[in-house]
Amino acid sequence: MSRNPRTGASARGPRHTEPRELAGLLSAAAGDAARIAAIAPALRGHWLRTVADALEEHAEELTALADTETALGPDRLRGEVGRAAAQARFYGEVAAEGGWLDVRIDRAGPGGPADLRRMNRPLGPVAVFGASNFPFAFGVAGHDTASALAAGCPVLVKAHPAHPLLSARLGTLVSDALRAAGAPAGAFALVTGFDAGLALVDAPEVAAVAFTGSQTAGTALVERAARRPVPVPVFAEMGTVNPAVLTPAAAATAAGVTRAATGFVDSFTLGQGQFCTKPGLLLAPRGSGAAEAAAGALAGVRPGWLLTEGIAAAYRQGLADLVAAGARPVARAEAADGAFAAAPTVLTAPADALRPGSRLLEECFGPVALVVEYDGTPHLRDLLGRLQPSLAAAVASGGPADPDLPWLVEHLARQAGRVVVDGWPTGVATGWAQHHGGPWPATSRPDATSVGAAALDRFTRPVAFQNVPEAALPEALRDGDPWNLPRRVDGVRTGGRS
Amino acid sequence: MSRNPRTGASARGPRHTEPRELAGLLSAAAGDAARIAAIAPALRGHWLRTVADALEEHAEELTALADTETALGPDRLRGEVGRAAAQARFYGEVAAEGGWLDVRIDRAGPGGPADLRRMNRPLGPVAVFGASNFPFAFGVAGHDTASALAAGCPVLVKAHPAHPLLSARLGTLVSDALRAAGAPAGAFALVTGFDAGLALVDAPEVAAVAFTGSQTAGTALVERAARRPVPVPVFAEMGTVNPAVLTPAAAATAAGVTRAATGFVDSFTLGQGQFCTKPGLLLAPRGSGAAEAAAGALAGVRPGWLLTEGIAAAYRQGLADLVAAGARPVARAEAADGAFAAAPTVLTAPADALRPGSRLLEECFGPVALVVEYDGTPHLRDLLGRLQPSLAAAVASGGPADPDLPWLVEHLARQAGRVVVDGWPTGVATGWAQHHGGPWPATSRPDATSVGAAALDRFTRPVAFQNVPEAALPEALRDGDPWNLPRRVDGVRTGGRS
């Protein structure tokens, strides 16, 4: 069933994938996996460009459909279509560049060890569970799908129940684009329905699972996959509370406090606070007036609607739970009219309330954040030590010479996947140097990223070939180097594009 | 207790580590972790060279002590000391070269994304469980210890009960060498006793576990670590049956069959068959006479002793179980005299007996292997499909133009970590291109290797730094590049040593 967050109106969703149909899709994926893996990465880049073109060509239609199911607004959604298209092209470029294959060649020495060549190979079919909050960037044609295809893995995407009609439309567009680009039929499939999703996690054909969403759902998938006769990796990006710190130097002037508080509020209310990188906690020097400044900034925020009835209910319950755990509302914006409306809210709490196990240390999905005051560096350090590890952490500093920056950056790097200075974590650029991950329980695999060039690495496994004649070697490892790859030969990096 | 495999004689082993003592060692490791992580990798290379020097300096003493506890013989053990020293130096070189830090810098664009810098950072204290069968190469100062130290992680090694006195002596040598080289006290510790080992896996200070040994013990550690409040990765290298294939072209002449059978027997009896890369199964064309040729080669094998009473008992039981599962002895060498003696054995079995779940498809640690005949390529392909994935797989070919090589290499690469042509898997060279791993259940982490340059990667986690001023960046990410690292800047590989 499809729901409109503004009105609550229901529309009939696509029918669920039947077990027999699913078996056919899995069989096609497994059957084409070796062929897809053996194709030159640059050709898979062509597939992804064709997908990107299709997204852009249908941007207006997709934006309208997504707005009906998510209420995220046409501007944001139109931008996200473009972002998803750019991502797909980027992963295609990364595939073609070939560094992710990590080719290493140790040549035979006279009387020494045999010729040894190592590369990363695609794992096989990947099951993708996209997110509710980014229907394009982390959806059917989002980061996981594009990076898995780039790495040479067939993809089976579970349609998200928060936007089932959009998922179905995207599924058709992606399938058609891949077919037009010459990809095998098994390269991509969309499956619909809760049971079909569970069946994907259990299927022997599936070699890895990628997930973006809540800790509850992510942990359930991790545990389910561990019970398989042959376990497979689950790359679950779940998210916790991303902390932000206002340093004393940044808080030295009222203008500094206002600037930081405004940035904080803009960031935590972006997309109605439905970002896994939402800064959920601001630690500010006692007496800095950060909470009041945030309250002031909140007045300018336009309220909106949450993605689903469930998220709206959890948000209301979450606010009540935060208050029960010791938080106090400082400011509350107007709520929008309509079914899944939410009122953006700033809370404060005494530092003592940040105790291990407290609800204050857990994520509350939606436009709410907490401001807590600290008394000097040792206190701040102590408070940071109480937090769960997170995807991101931010510092609002007094500038590059801020004396607290070095220790804060180092401290935060130990408990977050990304440390941001004088910026906010909600913008996650897709590039070579991105890392969108973090220590458990922010993700189930702290070594993995779901955004950026290294996203391909999740879906590979190394294999070494010892004394294998040229004709029997994979193309990536041949002396002739037909794919023009960067390689490490006898330990020395060489080749590839310059 | 220390046992002599030749005589069964017992000697008193070192005392077990008490809980309070263990707590102190864990606290020291955790307390020094950040300092060890921040040290220039080249300096950790110096630590490892000092360890290597100490091993070589005490080679004769260590060899004699190890021979008493393992009966592997002075020649093999002396060679293994040298190998462990070379490994330690190699991981130091890998650390200093810095490619494992995977530094990526995306510079800020005008009006575009912020400056973003990503690197791998050490995880923290690593618990190492070494192997019984390589007291040096996979022991207290073996691959896991050296690669974890190289990557900047403190190491806590559990002494192996098969060679407790050697473990204790190695522990002292490593501690002394590291202290002499200037390493912090928390960089290394040895712990003794079963309970202390379990406590390591549970300890909140421990960030990763590395294990080499049986499937039973490895799986138990994986499950135990998954039950921690904060789960940590367990890199368990466990091993299954490594298959070898004799192609029709290789079997075309009697000399070819004899050469392959001799190589097979030499490989599966090396170290009394106590190698995780032992080729445990030879698939040969029907009528090739491979089993008879192997029987002939077995006559030249010098028998020895298994490492422990438990392994000797499991070997006897394993032989009986293999026969009960349909195998038939073709040849049996003389057993040595003494306590844990074992008779090297060649078995055959009808292809039909290789059914899923059969004992024939499971590892039997010790000097035994199975020869099974196949009838043509489709039958061979079917038999290969019934095997468990493995660390390695081998092909004895008829030369580079052997028509079966391309499909066999590709097929085996899907179910093994290393594919060897016209060689045997029992030699695992330590180099840049090595991969000593494999799909589950050969290991618990198919993306990881416990030998070779990539062994460091297991003990790291990426972190991205966004818009962080130079002075607050880790040294590896600074513009000045004080460590002279290979880096990827705006997607282009640059820098480092040439």
Side-chain angles (χ1 to χ4, degrees), chain A residues 215 237-245 264 267-268 273-283 360-365 368-370 384 387-395 412 415-420 424-426 428 436-439 441-443:
Chain A
Q215 269 192 40
E237 191 257 85
M238 301 181 284
T240 51
V241 174
N242 303 290
V245 176
F264 177 64
S267 185
F268 90 71
Q274 300 168 116
F275 278 44
C276 50
T277 51
K278 177 189 89 171
L281 170 67
L282 180 65
L283 297 169
L360 299 178
L361 298 175
E362 288 171 20
E363 188 182 22
C364 181
F365 203 65
V368 59
L370 193 64
L384 290 173
L387 308 183
Q388 287 196 338
S390 56
L391 293 169
V395 183
L412 294 172
Q415 59 188 61
R418 181 166 52 108
V419 180
V420 181
W424 300 94
T426 33
V428 183
H436 187 56
T443 78

Side-chain angles (χ1 to χ4, degrees), chain A residues 74-401:
Chain A
D75 290 350
R76 141 77 194 270
L77 289 166
R78 196 176 292 114
E80 199 186 323
V81 173
R83 185 174 150 186
Q87 287 164 204
R89 291 194 184 97
F90 175 75
Y91 291 117
E93 285 165 32
V94 172
E97 193 267 350
W100 62 282
L101 289 162
D102 194 18
V103 170
R104 303 168 183 221
I105 298 176
D106 289 350
R107 290 176 297 191
D115 181 277
L116 193 64
R117 296 169 187 239
R118 183 191 204 257
M119 69 178 290
N120 288 331
R121 289 167 54 100
L123 280 181
V126 173
V128 169
F129 293 77
S132 61
N133 55 345
F134 283 94
F136 299 111
F138 289 88
V140 169
H143 286 287
D144 289 334
T145 296
S147 58
L149 281 172
C153 297
V155 172
L156 298 120
V157 182
K158 159 74 166 53
H160 201 290
H163 39 77
L165 295 173
L166 176 66
S167 295
R169 182 66 184 125
L170 283 167
T172 303
L173 281 178
V174 173
S175 288
D176 290 351
L178 289 173
R179 190 177 317 123
F188 174 85
L190 182 79
V191 311
T192 305
F194 186 78
D195 292 340
L198 293 186
L200 275 187
V201 178
D202 297 339
E205 293 89 348
V206 165
V209 176
F211 166 87
T212 309
S214 70
Q215 269 192 40
T216 309
T219 306
L221 288 189
V222 168
E223 287 169 1
R224 191 172 183 104
R227 288 195 300 269
R228 291 168 50 115
V230 176
V232 295
V234 177
F235 299 96
E237 191 257 85
M238 301 181 284
T240 51
V241 174
N242 303 290
V245 176
L246 181 68
T247 69
T253 65
V257 173
T258 302
R259 190 169 52 242
T262 305
F264 177 64
V265 169
D266 286 350
S267 185
F268 90 71
T269 58
L270 198 64
Q272 318 312 323
Q274 300 168 116
F275 278 44
C276 50
T277 51
K278 177 189 89 171
L281 170 67
L282 180 65
L283 297 169
R286 179 168 308 284
S288 59
E292 296 72 17
L298 199 67
V301 170
R302 247 177 83 187
W305 301 267
L306 295 172
L307 291 158
T308 69
E309 191 160 30
I311 291 172
Y315 180 68
R316 284 191 298 272
Q317 183 63 49
L319 284 179
D321 291 347
L322 291 170
V323 170
R328 184 175 58 79
V330 181
R332 184 170 216 177
E334 287 293 297
D337 288 332
F340 311 157
T345 304
V346 173
L347 304 173
T348 59
D352 285 354
L354 298 185
R355 279 185 301 271
S358 165
R359 177 66 178 88
L360 299 178
L361 298 175
E362 288 171 20
E363 188 182 22
C364 181
F365 203 65
V368 59
L370 193 64
V371 180
V372 170
E373 293 189 331
Y374 64 85
D375 296 292
T377 299
H379 189 216
L380 173 58
R381 202 186 282 267
D382 170 54
L383 290 178
L384 290 173
R386 300 187 205 173
L387 308 183
Q388 287 196 338
S390 56
L391 293 169
V395 183
S397 85

